[in-house]
Amino acid sequence: MTTKIIMDTDPGIDDAAAIAVAINNPEIELELISTVAGNVTVDKTTKNAMKLVKFFNANVPVAGGAEQPLIKPFEDAARVHGESGMPGYDFGPEPTDIPVNNAVDTLYKTIMANEEPIVLVPTGSYTNVALLLKEHPDVKSKIEKVVAMGGSIGMGNMTSAAEFNVFTDPHAAEILYKSGVPIVMVGLDVTMKALLTQKTLDTIKTLGKPGEMLGAIFSHYYEGHEGGIPMHDVNTLAYLLKPEMYQTTPYWIDVVTEGPAIGETVADIRGAYHNEKTNAEVCVNIDADAFNEWFIDEVKKMKA
C-alpha cells in the first residue's frame, strides 16, 4: 500500500533531502513537485527541483509557483542555503525550460484527477497552498491531510517567536489553518531535535552517488548546531512513513499576521479560546536516535 503525495517546496538543502526520500521510498508515490519562493527565489527553487528529478531519473512533473508571499515582502534564506539553494554539488547543465506560474492550476488538476484523496506536503511557505484553497475550495474534499513543515509552539528561528516558513508568508499560513482541512504541524518543536549527528553525516557520504550528493550539499548548510544539523523538511516524510517516532498533541493553532510577533503560531494549549476545538495535530517530540537510523536507511534505498 503506497501513499500518494504532492510536495510543495522551496529547495533548499533540507528540502532536497526530503525530495530525495519521497522519490526513492517505495511506500510513497510522488505525484507532483510544486515550487515556491522561500529559501531562494522561485526560479532557483524550480531549477533545484528539476535537478533532483533528473539526478534520480524520476518521472515526476515540476510546476513553478508563487514568486512572492501574498502580502508580506519576500525575504529569502540564502544566508543559510547559499545563493543557489543547493551549493556544493555539480548537477550538470542548468535546466533551461523552467515552468513558471502554473503551480496552482497544476496542483488543482493533479489532486482532482486522483480517485482517492491525496496527502499534501508543503515544506516551504504556504503561498501556493493558500492560493489553491482560496481559488478552488472544492479541492478540500480531495485532500486527505496536509503534513506541513513549519511553525513552532516554542521558540522561532527567524524571530524569537516565528519559524521561517510561516514567517515568510503568515497570511498564507492563516488561510491554511482556517481552511478546515486536516493538518499535521511538523514544526521546530521536533525538527530542532531531529539533528543528523556527525556519525550519521559521515555514514551518508559512503552510501553511493546519492550519499555523495547529499553529503556535499549538507556540508554547505549554514545551520549547524551543537549535536548536528537539522533536517526540518525531512521530518514531514519521516512522520508519514514512521509516525511512531513522533509524539503529537492536538491544538488549535492561530497565526499572527502583523506586529513584532508576525509569523508566530500560537497554540491554544488551555483550550480556552476555541471552545476546546482543535485544527491541527502538532508534533511535540521525536525519537532523535530512531530518526538518524531511519534516515541512513532511506539513503541506502536511493538510486541515481
Side-chain angles (χ1 to χ4, degrees):
M1 186 72 175
T2 58
T3 300
K4 289 187 176 184
I5 74 168
I6 291 173
M7 292 193 69
D8 186 75
T9 180
D10 62 341
I13 291 169
D14 54 328
D15 307 76
I19 290 169
V21 171
I23 286 174
N24 288 280
N25 188 288
E27 296 176 43
I28 295 290
E29 288 186 54
L30 182 57
E31 297 280 294
L32 171 69
I33 300 171
S34 54
T35 60
V36 66
N39 289 321
V40 287
T41 56
V42 74
D43 59 320
K44 293 177 181 178
T45 65
T46 308
K47 285 181 181 180
N48 290 341
M50 295 172 73
K51 289 176 185 178
L52 291 163
V53 168
K54 182 179 179 182
F55 178 86
F56 288 112
N57 301 304
N59 183 24
V60 181
V62 176
E67 299 178 358
Q68 297 282 339
L70 297 179
I71 297 172
K72 183 177 171 290
F74 175 55
E75 299 178 46
D76 69 20
R79 70 193 182 283
V80 175
H81 294 264
E83 286 302 315
S84 73
M86 288 194 327
Y89 187 82
D90 183 4
F91 286 90
E94 289 283 303
T96 54
D97 188 15
I98 309 298
V100 294
N101 296 326
N102 66 340
V104 173
D105 185 53
T106 308
L107 280 163
Y108 180 67
K109 290 178 178 177
T110 303
I111 293 170
M112 299 305 287
N114 274 274
E115 292 185 8
E116 299 297 324
I118 204 161
V119 177
L120 193 54
V121 183
T123 62
S125 67
Y126 310 147
T127 313
N128 292 333
V129 177
L131 290 169
L132 173 70
L133 294 169
K134 293 295 283 186
E135 294 177 17
H136 303 284
D138 57 318
V139 80
K140 294 178 186 179
S141 64
K142 297 298 292 286
I143 297 174
E144 178 183 334
K145 60 186 170 186
V146 178
V147 180
M149 193 279 131
S152 169
I153 59 173
M155 185 171 288
N157 62 355
M158 278 299 283
T159 68
S160 61
E163 177 275 332
F164 176 76
N165 285 349
V166 179
F167 177 86
T168 299
D169 197 340
H171 301 90
E174 181 182 44
I175 289 170
L176 173 61
Y177 278 94
K178 288 184 174 180
S179 69
V181 298
I183 300 169
V184 179
M185 183 174 118
V186 185
L188 299 180
D189 308 285
V190 291
T191 69
M192 291 306 299
K193 297 173 184 174
L195 303 179
L196 295 186
T197 65
Q198 189 60 52
K199 181 179 178 182
T200 296
L201 295 170
D202 291 341
T203 300
I204 286 167
K205 294 174 186 177
T206 69
L207 300 178
K209 189 177 176 182
E212 177 189 348
M213 181 272 287
L214 291 171
I217 65 174
F218 289 169
S219 69
H220 286 72
Y221 191 26
Y222 299 107
E223 200 183 356
H225 298 269
E226 185 177 354
I229 63 171
M231 283 288 108
H232 303 291
D233 299 332
V234 178
N235 280 267
T236 57
L237 277 300
Y239 174 84
L240 276 173
L241 293 162
K242 292 287 183 182
E244 64 272 16
M245 292 195 296
Y246 294 83
Q247 177 186 342
T248 67
T249 303
Y251 288 120
W252 186 282
I253 297 294
D254 286 305
V255 181
V256 179
T257 57
E258 59 184 15
I262 189 169
E264 182 177 9
T265 44
V266 181
D268 183 8
I269 59 173
R270 295 191 296 127
Y273 303 104
H274 297 279
N275 297 318
E276 299 187 355
K277 294 179 180 178
T278 62
N279 64 354
E281 194 70 25
V282 179
C283 294
V284 294
N285 210 347
I286 183 174
D287 184 335
D289 291 337
F291 177 83
N292 274 262
E293 293 172 10
W294 169 84
F295 188 70
I296 290 171
D297 288 342
E298 290 302 303
V299 179
K300 288 178 179 177
K301 295 172 186 173
M302 295 178 186
K303 295 187 174 14

